[in-house]
Amino acid sequence: MERSWWWKSLLFGAVTLLAVLYLAPSVPNFTLPGFLQGTFDRKLQLGLDLQGGLHLVYEVNVDKAVSSKVDRLAGDLEERLLEKTKDFKVTREGREDIILTFNQPAEVAKLDDDILKNYRDSLDVIDRDAASGIVRLRIDADQVAEVADYALRQGIETIRGRVDKFGVAEPTIIKRGTDIVVELPGLKPEDFERIKTIIGKTAQLEFKIVQAGGDYMTKVAAALPKDGSIQVIPDVWRDKKTNETKQDLYLQAADRKTLETFVKGLSGELAVPADREFGFEEVEVGGTEGKPGSARREWRTYLLEKRAAVTGEYLSSAELSFDPQTNRPEVLFTMDRQGATLMERLTTANIGRKMAIVLDDRINSAPVINDTIAGRGVITLGSFGDPLKVQQEARDLVAVLRSGALPAPLTKSFETQVGPTMGRDVVDRAVTSMLVGSVAVVLFMLVYYKVAGIVAIVAMFLNLLFMLAILAGFEAALTLPGIAGLVLTVGMAVDANIIIYERIREELRAGKTARTAVEAGFDRAFWTVFDAHVTNFVAGVVLYSYGSGPIRGFAVTLLVGIASNLVTSVWMSRWMFELLLGRRGTVKATLSI
């Protein structure tokens, strides 16, 4: 044997051994020796269609992301302007506008270039009326586009963090247009609802001051139909600092939808003011003391300031706790330094009023501000339902708050659940089809090409080994289209061998010796095989670039298969033919092909 043949033997042997080691952890009931387990611990994963799981598509509420951005800009602007004057008010109107109202119109000049230069790229001055003391600012159109893009990117990262804490292996979370696609393979059906709740929870924490409805709420109450499903109830509380009794009106109904429908229908002088909005809280009504569950659940309204003065973006930590009096679970949260400063300023300026704690567009509670509050607060979870479920809900909320809020609410637009039984059935059918195809190919090659057919079969199995090892090395998820790609590559491997073998047969019929015919056959067939592989490779690249989900899975398997097939069908097959024929004086005169 020539020295180069031995070098090739070492190289091919090392590559094959490496492939076996990479694939070994994926083989059921097989364990590598301890000293290898740390290096070769990656496994081939089964995709959603093979092991069952959950496929979700979410739309991102960009409008909410933009209005939240405007709220933050308004808060920052207010902070800078407070250094020059305190006699003004900042409100948000619509999605994009900030309205500054100066009680002394002449103070409009204090909103000068020195302040506005900090918002040159984010806010445009739409109107400045020195006579009325009103300035209208609007978020820049480029900023809106950036916020929308950020909402998608950050949404993906936040969802990934929540899914990772849930322990789902190999989740797929990608952007598709303006949607977010989530695939969770291997998820148990009993966990479907819980993880959907965790993913869909925006976890947007907002603190909004409750406005006294006064005459406005009196007019709204008068517009309600008699004997309707909405009740008007007086809300009475005492300001502990001034000992003054305060009163307001609120609406209450059996369900939230009834209240929302009524509020949406308000128009004319009853239309909700531009800087106000209604918030909704679920409350317990009636019931017997000492009999948990005897109270019924209803919804009530609060008239809120539209702009959130403090939001959950300043949250630094969250932890599960229990109310010392009721022993009900609750979530304690702590603000960072900036959030604590904003909260202190907000509560100092509004002592005696109510502050609504809003979590995901639902009022959690609205306590009266009796004193300045700095950086800590409590989210209660109500007293509804099974205590164990409430405790699990509190744990999930802690995990969600720790992973961060979604930059915008998500709306689920599509959902597919794949059960594990269906996945196992698909796997069995795919494996059967692959075995049947492989056996048919093996029989054909043995009958038609005799001993040379064994070389093609060995090359085909080496090709399969390398493909699966590469996929396992990257911890790729094997899907049903991926298995189709494997089967297709098996056919391509045999096709390459057939091209080479027919060239060798032509050389033998031309009267050349076995070794010369093999060398000429491989040399002349190489570019034909190479061209075919390049063509298929380009097709695979196009599928990967423009496809998604299963199409990409098929493309990845195809690309890996083409690369490994070129190695096994050309170079490793040639190496095996050299072994078959022998070298340096022991060359066989005939070849079984």
Side-chain angles (χ1 to χ4, degrees):
M1 296 283 182
E2 293 178 356
R3 182 176 296 178
S4 62
W5 187 91
W6 288 106
W7 282 115
K8 289 177 186 175
S9 302
L10 286 174
L11 176 63
F12 294 152
V15 171
T16 304
L17 177 62
L18 201 61
V20 170
L21 291 173
Y22 265 110
L23 192 57
S26 304
V27 178
N29 303 320
F30 181 82
T31 306
L32 284 171
F35 68 96
L36 292 173
Q37 289 179 8
T39 306
F40 303 98
D41 58 349
R42 298 183 177 184
K43 292 184 178 180
L44 191 63
Q45 306 292 334
L46 295 181
L48 184 70
D49 52 352
L50 296 183
Q51 61 172 325
L54 198 57
H55 175 92
L56 303 164
V57 180
Y58 288 97
E59 292 179 2
V60 179
N61 187 339
V62 175
D63 286 348
K64 180 63 178 175
V66 173
S67 60
S68 297
K69 172 71 174 179
V70 172
D71 279 346
R72 290 194 292 274
L73 289 171
D76 188 59
L77 184 63
E78 182 182 32
E79 191 173 351
R80 293 177 187 275
L81 201 54
L82 279 171
E83 296 175 2
K84 296 189 175 185
T85 177
K86 298 185 184 304
D87 199 12
F88 71 97
K89 184 179 178 184
V90 181
T91 56
R92 171 168 60 84
E93 191 172 297
R95 187 186 74 162
E96 302 176 1
D97 288 5
I98 299 173
I99 310 296
L100 289 95
T101 306
F102 293 87
N103 295 327
Q104 302 297 325
E107 290 196 332
V108 166
K110 293 188 175 178
L111 184 66
D112 53 19
D113 290 341
D114 188 45
I115 292 179
L116 290 176
K117 69 180 181 183
N118 298 290
Y119 309 96
R120 193 168 294 150
D121 297 330
S122 52
L123 289 174
D124 299 323
V125 179
I126 303 301
D127 186 39
R128 179 191 286 263
D129 189 345
S132 62
I134 296 176
V135 179
R136 178 182 291 270
L137 305 172
R138 183 170 297 164
I139 189 170
D140 186 79
D142 292 339
Q143 279 283 310
V144 174
E146 283 185 21
V147 170
D149 182 61
Y150 173 79
L152 272 171
R153 288 185 287 105
Q154 187 59 35
I156 290 173
E157 291 305 314
T158 304
I159 291 174
R160 193 181 303 283
R162 294 178 183 180
V163 170
D164 287 347
K165 288 181 180 178
F166 203 82
V168 178
E170 293 304 309
T172 300
I173 305 166
I174 58 173
K175 181 177 78 168
R176 182 185 296 164
T178 56
D179 294 339
I180 295 176
V181 179
V182 181
E183 290 187 349
L184 306 172
L187 194 67
K188 297 177 183 176
E190 55 266 30
D191 291 331
F192 283 179
E193 291 304 319
R194 186 178 166 213
I195 200 161
K196 279 191 288 184
T197 302
I198 291 175
I199 291 174
K201 190 180 284 294
T202 312
Q204 281 196 334
L205 193 60
E206 298 174 310
F207 300 87
K208 296 185 176 182
I209 295 300
V210 178
Q211 286 292 320
D215 293 339
Y216 173 74
M217 283 305 298
T218 303
K219 292 178 183 176
V220 170
L224 281 168
K226 292 182 179 178
D227 301 325
S229 56
I230 300 178
Q231 294 179 284
V232 179
I233 299 176
D235 191 7
V236 183
W237 71 95
R238 182 177 294 278
D239 182 346
K240 291 184 178 178
K241 194 167 186 177
T242 63
N243 205 29
E244 178 186 355
T245 300
K246 297 185 177 181
Q247 181 170 337
D248 200 1
L249 296 176
Y250 66 88
L251 310 179
Q252 185 168 305
D255 60 87
R256 176 171 176 161
K257 190 175 181 181
T258 301
L259 293 172
E260 288 180 329
T261 303
F262 173 73
V263 169
K264 284 180 182 176
L266 295 174
S267 59
E269 64 172 354
L270 298 181
V272 182
D275 58 344
R276 302 282 187 273
E277 66 181 10
F278 276 96
F280 305 94
E281 180 188 18
E282 190 175 22
V283 294
E284 284 188 334
V285 178
T288 305
E289 189 174 355
K291 289 186 177 180
S294 60
R296 67 180 186 280
R297 303 177 196 180
E298 294 199 350
W299 288 82
R300 62 158 293 180
T301 63
Y302 286 95
L303 188 62
L304 308 174
E305 287 187 359
K306 181 173 280 186
R307 185 171 75 85
V310 184
T311 66
E313 69 173 312
Y314 304 108
L315 211 66
S316 65
S317 67
E319 56 185 294
L320 176 66
S321 181
F322 291 89
D323 187 315
Q325 295 182 345
T326 64
N327 203 32
R328 302 289 297 183
E330 58 189 19
V331 177
L332 298 178
F333 64 86
T334 305
M335 294 286 188
D336 61 15
R337 187 174 176 182
Q338 186 178 359
T341 302
L342 291 173
M343 181 65 80
E344 186 175 354
R345 183 186 302 157
L346 175 70
T347 52
T348 301
N350 293 282
I351 288 177
R353 301 173 70 183
K354 288 188 173 183
M355 181 178 69
I357 302 175
V358 186
L359 181 64
D360 289 350
D361 200 30
R362 171 177 173 158
I363 293 178
N364 180 265
S365 61
V368 178
I369 304 172
N370 293 316
D371 206 347
T372 297
I373 302 171
R376 291 179 63 84
V378 178
I379 298 175
T380 58
L381 293 147
S383 55
F384 312 131
D386 183 354
L388 292 178
K389 287 186 178 179
V390 176
Q391 188 172 335
Q392 184 60 58
E393 184 184 347
R395 284 201 184 95
D396 290 344
L397 179 58
V398 168
V400 166
L401 290 174
R402 284 177 177 172
S403 64
L406 287 167
L410 302 177
T411 303
K412 189 176 62 184
S413 59
F414 182 77
E415 174 184 342
T416 301
Q417 298 181 2
V418 182
T421 304
M422 178 180 173
R424 173 51 55 192
D425 181 58
V426 171
V427 172
D428 293 342
R429 287 169 183 261
V431 171
T432 302
S433 65
M434 195 168 176
L435 288 176
V436 170
S438 299
V439 170
V441 168
V442 167
L443 290 176
F444 172 79
M445 294 302 289
L446 286 177
V447 171
Y448 198 72
Y449 291 109
K450 304 179 179 62
V451 175
I454 297 174
V455 173
I457 293 166
V458 172
M460 181 186 74
F461 282 109
L462 284 173
N463 182 33
L464 271 176
L465 172 67
F466 294 160
M467 286 174 63
L468 293 173
I470 292 171
L471 293 174
F474 287 105
E475 293 186 300
L478 187 62
T479 62
L480 193 59
I483 292 179
L486 285 174
V487 175
L488 177 63
T489 311
V490 167
M492 290 172 57
V494 175
D495 183 55
N497 284 107
I498 288 174
I499 292 173
I500 295 169
Y501 289 1
E502 290 304 316
R503 291 295 304 181
I504 293 174
R505 280 182 169 179
E506 287 180 9
E507 298 297 332
L508 288 173
R509 282 196 290 268
K512 293 184 179 177
T513 64
R515 191 174 74 176
T516 307
V518 167
E519 290 177 350
F522 273 96
D523 290 341
R524 292 177 180 177
F526 174 77
W527 288 111
T528 303
V529 173
F530 185 78
D531 287 348
H533 281 64
V534 168
T535 305
N536 289 326
F537 196 86
V538 170
V541 170
V542 172
L543 286 174
Y544 183 82
S545 301
Y546 294 98
S548 62
I551 303 297
R552 275 196 164 191
F554 174 79
V556 168
T557 311
L558 184 65
L559 292 173
V560 171
I562 289 170
S564 65
N565 184 47
L566 198 61
V567 174
T568 56
S569 62
V570 177
W571 289 289
M572 295 190 82
S573 292
R574 186 166 185 165
W575 172 81
M576 284 186 276
F577 267 102
E578 290 173 353
L579 175 65
L580 201 64
L581 292 172
R583 310 286 290 185
R584 290 187 178 176
T586 58
V587 178
K588 292 182 181 177
T590 59
L591 179 64
S592 175
I593 187 170

